[in-house]
Amino acid sequence: MKRVRAVCAGVALMLAFCLLGAGGAAASGAGAGSGAAASGGTAGAASAADGVPRGIPGAVPRSDDPRVAAWQRLQYGMFIHWGLYSELGGVWKGKPVTKGYSEQIQMWANISDREYGEVAERFRAERFDPKAICGLAKDAGMKYVVITSKHHDGFAMFDTGTTDYDIADRTPYGKDPLKLLAKECRAQGLKFGVYFSLVDWHAGHDFDPDNNNPIPASMEPLIEGQLRELMTGYGPISEVWFDMSSPTAEQSRRFAGLVHRLQPGATVSSRVWNNAGDFRVMGDNEVPDVALDGPWQTPASVYHETWGYRSWQKREDKPGKIRDLVQGLLSVRARGGNYLLNIGPRGDGSIVGFEADVLRGIGAWLKRHPRAVLGADATRFGGQPWGEVTVHDRDLFLHVTKWPADRELRLPGLATRVRGVTAEGGERLRWRQDGADLVVRLPEKPTDEVLPVLRARLDGALRVIPAHTVRPGTDGDWTARGDALHTGHGYADTGNYATQKRTTVRESAYLVSPRRTVPAARLRVAGTADPNARYRVTVGHRTRTVSGARLTSGALGPFRIPRDTVTPVTITRAHPTHQGQSLDLKLTSLTLTPSPGRGPRH
């Protein structure tokens, strides 16, 4: 794993698809904060205020690729860092190694290959218990397990024919723990995946603090041979979590292609590099602070200091740790990512009691709030000043991470009518819909010591009103610029961790026709684009594909704008080479002009 500065899981104002943020009405949102409030309370349903247009679908969609969508539905999994380094527990020659992660102790303590290999002679793993590991994962609410098949030290934690530097040949344990764990995962209904390091110190890589070693051609047969064994000997694989090094683009495509060929249902992490993965991996413990398009995952650890077992790690404030990790899980899920939470077993294979208790505490909270996180969908609301929002069918869940001092919770941009709002235990709360805002009167204090959750019962499918929707001006045109332009982001890299950069992959605006349908309107795009790129321009349900030169040189259309409805205008690449490919568009404004004689009347 690579250390980065973790972003607080409760980061405020991350607006998925740049929707309404700081607890008030949109600057120019349709109907937000206006009109007569519809009273709610302890009795029955209420209607939304007049003047709120039909919003856009409020749940964040999954990938169009069924394989990736199936992976996204897993949502929450267990990461396991276990290897020879676990036997050392962060200690070398009687002294704690305080620099770096403990799974990389060979590098940080500058341990020779001979001395490190001798650790295998005492690696008995007598308490490795796949049944207990899978049971803990299920108690925690997890749906899949990903274990280190080989870390940077190059010691294979499975029985490989490519080398004798593995757990079956070099240790008193003498068995293949991955085979046992994969079998138990299937027995308990969990999906199984493997971590695989592309850095291999035993095979010839030098110690590099950044772990950006190139892969020489001489190392390719070892990597491909081990991948082939992992993809053919352990049953169905849901995820291959590549990590680190600096492969060439051709190597990245070849390694990912090998996985896809042998395991058609498996997904590949972006750390195979050169944008050859199926989902983007965030930095360690990172919650993105901007809207992300496409599938992604946050790898998280109980302690940010290490992933592998550390005997001298401080383990304290268990309730606080449960609360922090619940908030991390929730923040990632509410934004549409998968959450992969790590444990670091001891060398003997046993799970640290503190970690097991924390995971069970998370699972207990999930059981108190069924449907609120697991099985729920991310929403386009993004992070709110008071917490997070998820949706499950017609149940909208409001997760209150920061209890408002005035006990008034405001959710801007809700276009769907609400039937009622309840707290834990079914306590009915007072509420109202104020234009496109849902306003809830909270109890005097939180009703869950970890993280309270409210449930708003909707009268139909979730629809939302984006911030800064655009109404036609006095000239009848819709013009979006500045805050009315909503940017979608992805990530791209050029071959290693150090080159991973945030990109712009989508530009959007949201238009409202308040009076009547406009049967024909034309779009003008102001800005600079890659003249040779192909762009997909979508207005409502109609799409045009044009070159970059055509995109900014004249009017596009015609497009239809339905009455009293939020109509998205979206520009993406028509055929991106990967999900994070930059849009290469510097957008100034979008203007939609009704055809003569057919504009809206005021």
Side-chain angles (χ1 to χ4, degrees):
M1 305 295 293
K2 175 74 175 178
R3 185 185 297 275
V4 300
R5 181 178 299 277
V7 178
C8 174
V11 62
L13 304 181
M14 196 297 290
L15 305 181
F17 287 89
C18 301
L19 295 185
L20 288 165
S28 54
S34 63
S39 297
T42 58
S47 297
D50 293 337
V52 177
R54 177 178 171 81
I56 64 174
V60 175
R62 298 188 181 94
S63 172
D64 292 334
D65 184 332
R67 173 176 51 88
V68 177
W71 173 84
Q72 289 177 299
R73 282 191 290 270
L74 295 176
Q75 300 185 339
Y76 174 37
M78 173 184 282
F79 214 178
I80 303 174
H81 276 64
W82 188 52
L84 286 188
Y85 45 83
S86 307
E87 183 72 23
L88 296 176
V91 176
W92 182 244
K93 294 185 176 179
K95 296 182 179 180
V97 178
T98 59
K99 190 174 183 179
Y101 292 148
S102 290
E103 66 273 15
Q104 299 180 31
I105 190 172
Q106 184 182 6
M107 175 173 64
W108 296 116
N110 197 27
I111 304 171
S112 70
D113 201 50
R114 178 188 60 80
E115 288 180 298
Y116 192 76
E118 289 173 355
V119 176
E121 298 173 6
R122 63 177 191 266
F123 193 86
R124 298 185 179 279
E126 66 273 14
R127 297 181 65 188
F128 177 73
D129 186 347
K131 186 174 182 179
I133 290 172
C134 292
L136 176 60
K138 294 188 73 173
D139 286 345
M142 295 163 166
K143 304 299 182 185
Y144 64 114
V145 173
V146 177
I147 187 170
T148 47
S149 65
K150 184 180 75 169
H151 211 279
H152 306 339
D153 58 8
F155 189 81
M157 294 296 288
F158 62 101
D159 188 3
T160 175
T162 63
T163 175
D164 67 353
Y165 198 62
D166 67 71
I167 189 170
D169 291 317
R170 288 288 188 95
T171 74
Y173 180 70
K175 295 188 287 289
D176 186 331
L178 266 63
K179 196 171 288 291
L180 299 174
L181 183 59
K183 180 180 179 181
E184 188 61 35
C185 282
R186 290 193 294 274
Q188 296 201 33
L190 297 167
K191 300 296 183 181
F192 178 73
V194 293
Y195 166 108
F196 187 87
S197 172
L198 292 171
V199 171
D200 191 323
W201 296 327
H202 183 73
H205 276 148
D206 294 329
F207 293 152
D208 172 10
D210 295 321
N211 294 307
N212 283 334
N213 312 74
I215 300 175
S218 60
M219 200 178 289
E220 291 176 358
L222 174 71
I223 292 172
E224 293 178 342
Q226 291 181 343
L227 285 174
R228 193 171 290 108
E229 291 171 334
L230 289 167
M231 296 304 103
T232 57
Y234 298 84
I237 303 293
S238 68
E239 175 176 329
V240 180
W241 214 98
F242 286 99
D243 198 18
M244 307 314 293
S245 87
S246 295
T248 65
E250 192 277 333
Q251 288 173 329
S252 296
R253 289 192 296 269
R254 184 148 30 104
F255 300 153
L258 188 152
V259 171
H260 289 146
R261 186 168 61 255
L262 298 177
Q263 287 281 344
T267 55
V268 171
S269 81
S270 64
R271 293 193 186 181
V272 74
W273 304 122
N274 293 293
N275 309 303
D278 297 307
F279 62 90
R280 183 60 58 170
V281 176
M282 296 292 100
D284 301 352
N285 298 289
E286 181 183 6
V287 176
D289 58 353
V290 296
L292 292 183
D293 289 11
W296 57 278
Q297 177 198 78
T298 288
S301 53
V302 174
Y303 332 98
H304 290 190
E305 300 87 353
T306 190
W307 299 74
Y309 172 65
R310 178 174 284 182
S311 60
W312 47 273
Q313 176 68 40
K314 288 185 179 180
R315 300 174 176 90
E316 54 193 7
D317 187 15
K318 192 180 301 178
K321 183 64 68 176
I322 292 170
R323 191 177 305 111
D324 288 347
L325 292 173
V326 163
Q327 190 165 321
L329 165 62
L330 172 60
S331 297
V332 168
R333 284 299 315 127
R335 290 160 167 77
N338 279 21
Y339 193 69
L340 190 62
L341 179 58
N342 181 74
I343 62 170
R346 300 179 182 90
D348 65 6
S350 61
I351 301 168
V352 176
F354 182 89
E355 296 179 16
D357 290 345
V358 167
L359 264 62
R360 291 191 183 100
I362 297 171
W365 180 83
L366 290 168
K367 289 175 183 176
R368 290 198 298 274
H369 306 286
R371 295 164 49 88
V373 178
L374 300 185
D377 290 320
T379 71
R380 299 181 190 266
F381 289 110
Q384 299 293 311
W386 45 262
E388 307 287 349
V389 187
T390 58
V391 66
H392 194 137
D393 296 329
R394 294 188 178 187
D395 287 333
L396 189 68
F397 293 98
L398 313 177
H399 306 260
V400 189
T401 61
K402 296 179 181 178
W403 201 257
D406 62 1
R407 293 170 49 204
E408 184 174 275
L409 181 151
R410 181 177 290 267
L411 176 64
L414 177 60
T416 308
R417 288 176 293 181
V418 173
R419 299 179 61 186
V421 181
T422 58
E424 290 89 358
E427 177 189 357
R428 289 182 288 181
L429 303 177
R430 294 195 62 82
W431 58 276
R432 70 182 190 276
Q433 283 189 269
D434 182 8
D437 292 7
L438 171 63
V439 184
V440 180
R441 183 66 175 170
L442 298 176
E444 291 187 5
K445 59 183 180 179
T447 51
D448 189 298
E449 62 183 8
V450 175
L451 199 157
V453 182
L454 313 180
R455 180 175 73 103
R457 182 64 174 167
L458 302 178
D459 201 34
L462 174 64
R463 304 190 77 87
V464 301
I465 308 294
H468 310 295
T469 53
V470 179
R471 289 182 178 270
T474 55
D475 58 358
D477 292 354
W478 291 265
T479 299
R481 60 170 63 91
D483 289 343
L485 297 175
H486 301 249
T487 299
H489 294 279
Y491 279 84
D493 69 83
T494 54
N496 58 40
Y497 191 97
T499 63
Q500 180 165 274
K501 303 295 182 183
R502 184 182 293 170
T503 58
T504 294
V505 299
R506 173 183 49 80
E507 294 284 5
S508 297
Y510 299 94
L511 316 181
V512 180
S513 177
R515 300 296 176 112
R516 54 167 289 186
T517 295
V518 177
R522 295 188 176 273
L523 176 69
R524 289 185 178 273
V525 178
T528 57
D530 179 350
N532 299 314
R534 301 290 291 174
Y535 291 93
R536 179 174 288 117
V537 181
T538 302
V539 180
H541 298 292
R542 196 161 189 179
T543 297
R544 295 281 188 273
T545 299
V546 298
S547 68
R550 177 71 180 87
L551 179 69
T552 57
S553 64
L556 305 174
F559 299 101
R560 178 179 179 273
I561 308 297
R563 68 179 298 274
D564 207 23
T565 298
V566 177
T567 299
V569 179
T570 302
I571 303 174
T572 60
R573 279 187 174 267
H575 305 289
T577 58
H578 58 90
Q579 66 184 26
Q581 185 181 10
S582 175
L583 196 57
D584 290 332
L585 169 65
K586 293 183 179 179
L587 185 62
T588 304
S589 66
L590 299 172
T591 301
L592 208 71
T593 302
S595 297
R598 307 180 94 175
R601 298 171 184 171
H602 298 279

